[in-house]
Amino acid sequence: MKDPFPIPPIPALSEAVKPLADYLGLPTLPLHIHEVLITAAFYEFIRSVVSPALSSRIFPRQYAALSKTKKMNWDVHVVSFVQSTSINILALWVMFNDEERRQMDWQERLWGYSGGSAMIQALAAGYFVWDLLITATNVNVFGLGMLAHAVSALTVYSFGFRPFVNFYSTTFILWELSSPFLNIHWFCDKLGMTGSRVQLYNGLVLIGMFFSCRLVWGTWQSVMVYRDLYSGVTKGFDYGAVTGVGKSEGTTVPASYVETMRFVTPDTGLPLWLAVVYVASNLTLNSLNFYWFFKMIDAVRKRFEPAGPEEKQRLKVEASPARESEKLLKGAADGTAVLATGADGHVVTRQRRRTLLDGEDPDNAPPV
């Protein structure tokens, strides 16, 4: 599949980045650097312009009540929602329409190139470039954990420009299928909808999607990539067998290799350090997925857990309608759970316990 991105490579930009790409051993980066930068700029436009404008119009009171740092967090969640939704749709489209990708053998899956998968990889790298810039300049808001996540994610996806496991860029980006529902869950808390039916139904979908795409699909595909990496380490790379160079007359090379293996060189191979780094990163993320899954179940459960005797003693019922509106607004901003509203407009509240899904504790970053 040719790269389906609507804007073709910009020659001047490709030439400018080529020396860096050659130095780092990333030969396909010049073909996709415009996609990386356009994507990063697009997400910053959403964060700094689109989100504040739309949020102020759709949720004027709730958004205005947020502090500067909480507005930043809100806007970042808007970007996360847009990014995870759009890239999942595009990744699924590539997987269903890229015939070249479907027929790849283990060598092509390791060292091959497909324009569709490379586009997904570039769009993901663009998001992580933006994510790195935002977290690095706002460490006090997002914490060192999210900064480390941005650095590691960008590093891993940059390997694809070697190209290396370009095939799996669409496969593992589907971990993000649960992220739109995670963001909806977060917004429910900020909009005073904690414990609502909307949050309940969304939470059930979130848990089901997280289990399906991260634990089932993610683990299965991890086994597949480990198998290919094992083949690459044990069998090595035969440049002649892939290109026909130096082979006797009559040696056949799969026709697909002309396109998919066009970036391989005699130096192409799988260094042991690269295989170890990739497997270690993948195992870490898989382990975190299992940990996050059980924490997420606990977090969703706590949203709907009835108040205990001590909490009930702290419940406040205030008669002033103006005060009730203020309480609802404050609850949206600070995460207070609205337990009930009486026929006379009184609002019963209690402070909701913080959980993994709040996403504002740098030591317990959510799985986004």
Side-chain angles (χ1 to χ4, degrees), residues 1-4 32 91 94-95 98 101 104 112-123 157 165-171:
M1 174 184 275
K2 301 294 184 183
D3 185 351
H32 300 280
V94 168
M95 292 177 72
D98 190 349
R101 178 186 178 278
M104 284 184 170
Y113 171 87
S114 168
S117 295
M119 180 193 71
I120 297 299
Q121 165 199 309
L123 297 181
Y157 264 87
V165 293
N166 174 265
F167 171 92
Y168 288 100
S169 63
T170 54
T171 298

Side-chain angles (χ1 to χ4, degrees), residues 49-332:
V49 178
V50 176
S51 176
L54 288 182
S55 299
S56 297
R57 180 177 292 272
I58 300 173
F59 308 109
R61 297 173 63 197
Q62 293 93 333
Y63 189 73
L66 298 174
S67 64
K68 183 178 179 180
T69 56
K70 288 188 176 181
K71 282 182 179 177
M72 164 72 75
N73 206 2
W74 175 292
D75 296 333
V76 166
H77 275 80
V78 171
V79 174
S80 174
F81 180 81
V82 172
Q83 184 267 344
S84 56
T85 302
S86 59
I87 203 165
N88 281 322
I89 293 172
L90 289 172
L92 288 170
W93 179 82
V94 168
M95 292 177 72
F96 281 111
N97 289 278
D98 190 349
E99 187 65 31
E100 213 171 48
R101 178 186 178 278
R102 277 201 295 271
Q103 296 180 3
M104 284 184 170
D105 59 25
W106 72 267
Q107 293 194 94
E108 292 173 294
R109 289 194 295 269
L110 283 183
W111 298 296
Y113 171 87
S114 168
S117 295
M119 180 193 71
I120 297 299
Q121 165 199 309
L123 297 181
Y127 171 75
F128 290 125
V129 165
W130 171 84
D131 189 34
L132 176 60
L133 293 174
I134 290 297
T135 52
T137 54
N138 297 277
V139 177
N140 60 316
V141 178
F142 301 104
L144 293 175
M146 293 305 291
L147 178 60
H149 177 271
V151 171
S152 60
L154 179 59
T155 300
V156 169
Y157 264 87
S158 295
F159 287 153
F161 294 115
R162 292 176 68 94
F164 173 66
V165 293
N166 174 265
F167 171 92
Y168 288 100
S169 63
T170 54
T171 298
F172 288 114
I173 205 65
L174 292 184
W175 278 3
E176 295 296 319
L177 280 169
S178 61
S179 294
F181 303 100
L182 179 65
N183 283 297
I184 292 172
H185 194 100
W186 187 90
F187 281 115
C188 282
D189 281 342
K190 304 310 169 185
L191 294 172
M193 299 173 66
T194 299
S196 65
R197 288 189 177 183
V198 171
Q199 191 177 55
L200 173 61
Y201 298 149
N202 179 78
L204 295 175
V205 175
L206 168 60
I207 291 173
M209 190 63 73
F210 194 96
F211 177 80
S212 301
C213 69
R214 297 208 182 203
L215 304 194
V216 178
W217 170 261
T219 302
W220 174 41
Q221 290 301 315
S222 293
V223 172
M224 295 297 101
V225 75
Y226 298 158
R227 183 191 62 180
D228 288 342
L229 290 171
Y230 179 77
S231 296
V233 170
T234 56
K235 297 179 181 178
F237 178 75
D238 187 342
Y239 180 72
V242 169
T243 63
V245 175
K247 293 294 181 179
S248 60
E249 199 173 322
T251 300
T252 60
V253 175
S256 62
Y257 281 13
V258 174
E259 285 295 324
T260 61
M261 304 296 275
R262 58 194 173 106
F263 290 103
V264 300
T265 69
D267 296 325
T268 295
L270 181 55
L272 185 59
W273 69 264
L274 182 58
V276 170
V277 167
Y278 190 89
V279 170
S281 300
N282 188 274
L283 283 173
T284 299
L285 290 173
N286 272 296
S287 300
L288 285 173
N289 282 335
F290 280 89
Y291 168 77
W292 281 330
F293 178 69
F294 292 108
K295 297 292 287 185
M296 188 178 297
I297 292 176
D298 186 53
V300 171
R301 179 182 58 80
K302 287 178 180 178
R303 295 298 199 277
F304 303 93
E305 202 173 62
E310 293 182 2
E311 288 181 334
K312 287 182 179 179
Q313 292 179 5
R314 295 196 299 269
L315 295 179
K316 297 179 180 179
V317 180
E318 300 179 6
S320 169
R323 181 58 180 158
E324 303 309 326
S325 297
E326 181 183 345
K327 188 184 298 182
L328 282 171
L329 178 59
K330 184 177 184 296

